[in-house]
Amino acid sequence: MNKRADLTELNPSEPFPAYRDNVALRIDADDEARRLRAGARVGVSRPHESAHLHVAGEATYTDDIPEVAGTLYAALGLSREAHARITALNLDPVRAQPGVVAVYTARDIPGTNDVAPIVKGDDPILADGLVQYVGQPVFAVVATSVEAARRAAALARQPEVVTYESLPAVLTPQAAHAAGRYVLPPMHMRRESAPGALEQVLARAPRKLKGVFDVGGQEQFYLEGQIAYARPLEDEGMLVQCSTQHPTEMQHVVAQALGLQAHHVRVECRRMGGGFGGKESQSALFACVAAVAARTLRRPVKLRVDRDDDFLITGRRHCFHYDYEVAYDDEGRVLAARIDMVSRAGFSADLSGPVMTRALCHFDNAYWLPEVAIHGYSAKTNTQSNTAFRGFGGPQGAIAIEQILDSIARDLGRDPLDVRKLNFYAREGQTTPYGQPVEDNVIHELVDALERSSDYRARREAVRAFNDASPVLKKGLALTPVKFGISFNVPHFNQAGALVHVYNDGSILVNHGGTEMGQGLNTKVAQVVAHELGVNFERVRCSATDTDKVANTSATAASTGSDLNGKAAQDAARQIRQRLAAFAASRYGGSPQEVRFANDTVSVGGRSLPFHELVWEAYLARVQLWSDGFYATPKIHWDPKTLKGRPFYYFAYGAAVSEVIVDTLTGEARTLRADVLYDAGRSLNPAVDIGQVEGAFIQGMGWLTTEELWWHPVSGRLMTHAPSTYKIPTANDVPPVFNVRLFDAENREDSIHRSKAVGEPPLLLPFSVFFAIRDAISAVGGHRVDPPLRAPATPEAILAAVEAVRRAA
């Protein structure tokens, strides 16, 4: 078990050791060994179930599946216009290319030409007479090789192949907002103590702050790109093996595109090489193109796009523009807040509605806002349709209030941490702007523990002393908290199913509706089943996610993978255990409640026998050794019209302290140290969870510092469409001192073994990096000027903010 309770005993003046020496502090191997001997299979660290395959290069991804004889390869011809009518489409030169077997346009799709997940009809598979962004697929080519297909598809750039009539294009969310162009109606969330109270407080408050702020988007940059492999089966059946977070949705959209029913289509995904939300809805286009071609040609078809085309076709994290007004008192306590959030939705709705809903629901972050109005606008732009990304709008919502509190602290000359703590939700009794009581608040204890263990106050003085003596290099320090709601915004998505098969040799196979994208979901689910049946880890194996096995699954998203699928698998395993216990008691005496399953042994009637022997005996006695399980998250409800209810089963909490150094002559910044404390409840697997926190922190740090998306202001073409122009963080960007711990507090709600989600919330922890950079820039003007820093804080953005502070100071 993680040494989380020891945080209060640490010497605050003694810094944590470097990251490479910190494993022993984070995971107590002796305690875990004791728990294993006692029969625990959860709450202990286990390697990722595919780790040995990953390092050996033997893990099978979609492109590694052995190809059936006769497999063909598809590629997509992309639009070169941001907004235009297609006036002529001459595909004869494409068909004439060597190796080309077929070319498809929108009119060749036998069913529905649409992959929209929510607003049906606004997201075509192939453009039908109108293109709405540079990179939109216009036609698909199928050829005998990948190279031949891509070479032919590239002819889409030739004017003699596709002729356009250009139309006005809207390329920025601000321009779309000014024109009133939205993919969905605006959303308004409001909470007031009395009608008109918000405006009254804003008008009469002792202090007020107005401002604007911009946060960029982020490319998912999964290592495995979008890919689908479709194989026609008998009687109009279709098998689609693809890299997707949502096999059930792929099943439905493929069936619709083929003009068939869901039972005709089987979708399978063993694992993904990363997803981060980019393969929740947007894997659909690729699955549909491959399936349409496979059905028409009666041959297997694979569609694997290269990185440049992946960037140009698919959407990413929504960038946000904020316009806010806040009232506060002389201590820094927020009295009222109004904010407009404008997101870049792209040309279609996709998941922009739920993303904006979550952004609105996370504007409060960890803070009580007495009077608040939050307005969300999903701006329609002629760019790629943006989609899910780890955090799903939560980071974009929460960073706005952090920006506001940081500015309030600077205006008052106070430490930003003190202003943040002053505005925290009370330990109990207060509600969020959408009406959910905050019943499980541990942010006070968590932040206090991190403040002590990271030696925050002494380091604040050390940073001040360094800056006083350093005219060029400036250091910054920031501590930021996280409160993140866990559950899907849409209540009916909060359900899961699982199958558990116990074979008569005692081995166990588990299938559940979640997908494995490297996050360790299969590892945790296998641990849950092993714990429930009291067997060793080696007995349990998880199979590929398959719509033929568990139907009507939800996406593996919203940090709910372990919560939902773990509970469903536990339900199935528990039914089998109860049957085995009843059988054992009937054969060996005692009551079923007295039968114990632990350490691969069954204790019953005063004797013990190996698990596999009892299973064999039960099989001979015709006891059912398999079961299905189901789980639906309780308590949650939501009214999408009023934006009120309880959308989240519980909250996950965390905090991080980051220290940075900034070169004020070049704008370069470096994170020197990060201390993280994260609330994972009773972690199912501390090693996996710590790894998830580390990865989320670095990914979020990339979003806020180096990953900049840029569209050409005239053509609308995404110019940052490859690793040469789009910079994700590397191993060299990891802070040399990087201390990650798990907080010692079980989930108050009945989650799977009282654990908490760990996928998305930690991505908000590197807010501390951004505001540490802001702190360092502020030092240039003696902390008298609020730096106008945008995110990502690239060297260019930092230099612009430094110069603005110098001029103002």
Side-chain angles (χ1 to χ4, degrees), residues 190-200 370-371:
R190 194 177 187 94
R191 194 260 305 282
E192 293 180 285
S193 57
L198 175 68
E199 284 73 19
Q200 291 177 15
E371 318 287 344

Side-chain angles (χ1 to χ4, degrees), residues 388-411:
F389 194 120
R390 195 175 192 174
F392 202 77
Q396 295 99 309
I399 197 170
I401 192 65
E402 296 298 338
Q403 167 83 1
I404 289 166
L405 292 176
D406 195 62
S407 296
I408 288 173
R410 193 161 289 109
D411 176 57

Side-chain angles (χ1 to χ4, degrees), residues 381-397:
T381 56
N382 291 113
T383 54
Q384 295 83 358
S385 187
N386 283 329
T387 189
F389 194 120
R390 195 175 192 174
F392 202 77
Q396 295 99 309

